[in-house]
Amino acid sequence: MKREIVKALREAGEGYVSGSALCERLGVSRQAVWKCISGLKEDGYQIESVSGKGYRLKKGRDRLYGPDILSRLPEDCLCRKVQCFEEIDSTNTRMKQLAELGEEQGSLLVSERQTAGRGRRGRTWRSEAESGIYMTLLLRPELPPAKVPAITLLAALALTKAIQEVCGVEAQIKWPNDVVIAKKKICGILTEMSSEENYVHYVAVGIGINVNTESFPEELCDRATSIRIQTGKKTNRNELAAAVIKHLCADYERFEMEQDFSVFVPEYNRVLANCDQQVKVYYGTVDDAKEENIDIGIARGIDRDGALLVELDTGVKKIVSGEVSVRGMYGYL
Ligand code: BTN
């Protein structure tokens, strides 16, 4: 019911929605509406109540809020449960614990900040309070484990679509799954899987987005940015989180049904940064890499397995993600 009331209030914009209109829309008593509004206020959701007029949303702090995110998702979206936290160690860590206890597919954890945010390859993920989105979606795909890495590519694609839709700015993908604007990273994805030889127990898709961050420490400035820095505007984080989940769930369901990534290849290649440009492929560490551990070629896009095709003097090489890093000739991109 919270989800429906939030939706009605949002749709009214700056106007009021009367208690009786809410009763009619939801088919419940006035008391039930009042109780639900009180619950929303207790959660910290900013609602103004004026007798004779009704209720309206106060313009206030932009807080991540489960019913708000849920109210923006299509009715048939596979994400049906959203839990928001003020602080958590890591949404991925917590989701993996819940998954082991039987949490259902489509459950989403979101946090205002993380005290132990994790990145790929054991790195930490800077999770500044109240300006980013840190969230993890739980999936239980009926797919062979070898096909699961494609879900990370779908998440990157969902991020570019959502950022275009909500923020009006074009983001690109740095293969395999960094999302960038103006050659700097704005999102990271950490996908963690629990599986047996031929069976996937669960997949936790963790997404971190630098949304309204105003500045970065000096050591990150040359490769990290935020949507706010790039557009000069603040983004409603509930709206952006919902748009990402909407696209990710829709594309994931299609992928699971077709068991084939081919249909997404043209879309992915359209937003692939470095496509048709010279790149360096590092087999191992990027810093202090020896010449024999580097290939230089032209990136030609991904294939149906999500591998990057790089044209070398010796022919086209299929680069599979893992311990490989691909960089532009003169830097990160
Ligand atoms: C990367 O290294 O690029 C991946 C970063 C992934 C960060 C997100 S934030 C939400 C989720 N929880 C985590 O601890 N990590 C992921």
Side-chain angles (χ1 to χ4, degrees), residues 221-255:
C221 275
D222 60 332
R223 59 161 68 176
T225 189
S226 72
I227 295 173
R228 179 154 192 188
I229 293 171
Q230 293 304 319
T231 61
K233 285 187 250 162
K234 259 189 109 170
T235 294
N236 179 318
R237 291 176 301 148
N238 289 311
E239 188 182 355
L240 182 58
V244 173
I245 296 302
K246 174 186 78 177
H247 286 295
L248 174 55
C249 287
D251 287 352
Y252 160 75
E253 285 190 294
R254 183 166 182 198
F255 174 57

Side-chain angles (χ1 to χ4, degrees), residues 10-35:
R10 219 190 36 250
E11 282 169 6
E14 311 228 323
Y16 288 88
V17 186
S18 69
S20 54
L22 287 174
C23 294
E24 207 170 301
R25 178 166 172 162
L26 295 155
V28 295
S29 69
R30 248 191 135 86
Q31 206 196 358
V33 166
W34 180 83
K35 222 170 144 190

Side-chain angles (χ1 to χ4, degrees), residues 90-92 114 116-120 123 125 134-136 178 185 187-190 206-208:
S90 148
T91 53
N92 265 37
Q114 299 183 116
R118 295 186 288 111
R120 279 180 294 141
R123 296 191 190 110
W125 180 259
Y134 316 109
M135 60 184 180
T136 301
D178 282 351
K185 181 161 165 171
C187 308
I189 304 164
L190 176 66
I207 297 176

Side-chain angles (χ1 to χ4, degrees), residues 162-170 231 233:
I163 290 168
Q164 178 73 64
E165 199 173 289
V166 175
C167 315
V169 60
E170 193 189 327
T231 61
K233 285 187 250 162

